């Protein structure tokens, strides 16, 4: 995906099912309960694609993915090139009875070059579904980073986001390229981190995280809360869990 001469994708976008475990997740044993989704996030099965529309008014292509570790579950990722110069991306997860709880669901991709700064319209700071009341709505910015923790864990999520922009800078610190992503019908959650969920999951110390030269971007329609009711050990409260049996969706527009 090239915008104004700058390539943004290192690999094709894919459905996202996993976020790195938090201290509270580890304390209540959630990674063991949801382990099937870690495997699904890595070994998702591409079942093919279909061209749903091809005309002067737009082009629409849908990819379907199977989940080998959760038989019967599937996800669809639909791209629609719109006349106004935007790319509408819609992701839908179709659950099955008995499927374990999800850490999250949405779309993930890695950038071709590192993102120097992220700007977003939404709540300030790091926010999660059960930890967002202190966020102040407005325009905010940050440099993608991993929060220092004793053991690396998921971080940097921003819920209730209306839009965000990824900036790449040149050697002089000036903006050389920018990519803007907007909500399609409802606010979403997003994060932009120097490492993937799997890289964070595998590290036991922040110094073990590899310098990839890319940025991992995740846009979520559903995200599990972080809990932390008693530091760790108690499961996340029921309203902030993500059922693997239901349907989840996220939609956003990429400004081309």
């Amino acid at each position: 995906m090239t915008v104004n001469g700058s390539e943004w994708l290192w690999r094709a976008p894919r459905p996202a099912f996993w976020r790195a475990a938090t201290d509270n997740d580890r304390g209540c044993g959630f990674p063991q309960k949801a382990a099937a989704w870690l495997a699904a996030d890595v070994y998702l099965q591409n079942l093919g694609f279909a061209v749903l529309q091809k005309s002067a008014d737009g082009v629409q292509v849908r990819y379907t993915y199977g989940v080998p570790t959760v038989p019967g579950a599937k996800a669809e990722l639909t791209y629609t090139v719109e006349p106004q110069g935007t790319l509408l991306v819609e992701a839908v997860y179709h659950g099955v009875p008995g499927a374990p709880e999800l850490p999250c669901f949405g779309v993930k991709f890695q950038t071709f070059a590192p993102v120097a700064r992220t700007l977003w319209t939404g709540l300030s700071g790091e926010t999660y579904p059960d930890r967002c009341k202190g966020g102040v709505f407005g325009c905010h910015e940050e440099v993608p980073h991993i929060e220092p923790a004793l053991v690396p864990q998921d971080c940097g999520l921003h819920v209730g986001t209306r839009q965000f922009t990824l900036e790449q800078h040149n050697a002089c610190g000036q903006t050389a390229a920018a990519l803007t992503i907007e909500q399609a019908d409802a606010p979403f959650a997003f994060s932009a981190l120097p490492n993937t969920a799997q890289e964070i999951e595998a590290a036991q110390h922040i110094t073990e995280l590899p310098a990839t030269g890319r940025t991992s971007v995740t846009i979520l329609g559903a995200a599990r809360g972080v809990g932390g009711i008693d530091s760790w050990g108690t499961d996340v409260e029921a309203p902030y869990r993500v059922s693997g049996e239901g349907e989840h969706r996220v939609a956003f527009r990429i400004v081309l």
Side-chain angles (χ1 to χ4, degrees), residues 44-196:
L44 199 62
Q45 183 181 13
N46 189 335
L47 299 178
F49 70 94
V51 178
L52 305 181
Q53 178 185 356
K54 184 178 181 182
S55 69
D57 297 326
V59 176
Q60 187 177 68
V61 182
R62 174 173 295 163
Y63 287 83
T64 302
Y65 299 89
V67 184
T69 53
V70 185
K74 68 176 183 177
E76 296 168 341
L77 195 51
T78 305
Y79 302 95
T80 305
V81 180
E82 300 176 312
Q84 64 266 36
T86 56
L87 178 64
L88 174 63
V89 182
E90 300 173 276
V92 180
Y93 163 77
H94 302 282
V96 291
E101 290 181 14
L102 282 155
C104 63
F105 175 72
V107 179
K108 63 176 182 177
F109 64 89
Q110 287 181 276
T111 60
F112 191 79
V115 171
R117 183 173 67 160
T118 303
L119 304 96
W120 74 95
T121 301
L123 299 179
S124 60
E126 179 184 81
T127 52
Y128 283 79
D130 57 350
R131 294 290 183 270
C132 61
K133 290 184 178 179
V136 177
F137 184 83
C139 298
H140 312 282
E141 63 178 75
E142 69 180 8
V143 175
H145 65 285
I146 301 295
E147 290 289 343
L150 187 61
V151 178
Q153 58 187 300
D154 187 64
C155 58
L157 192 69
H158 307 291
V159 301
T161 301
R162 270 60 171 179
Q163 71 169 32
F164 68 93
T165 299
L166 308 173
E167 289 187 350
Q168 295 176 354
H169 292 177
N170 59 23
C172 298
Q174 301 170 323
T175 302
L179 182 72
T180 297
I181 296 175
E182 305 173 339
Q183 72 174 63
D185 49 18
F188 50 73
F190 90 97
S191 65
L193 302 174
N195 298 97
T196 66

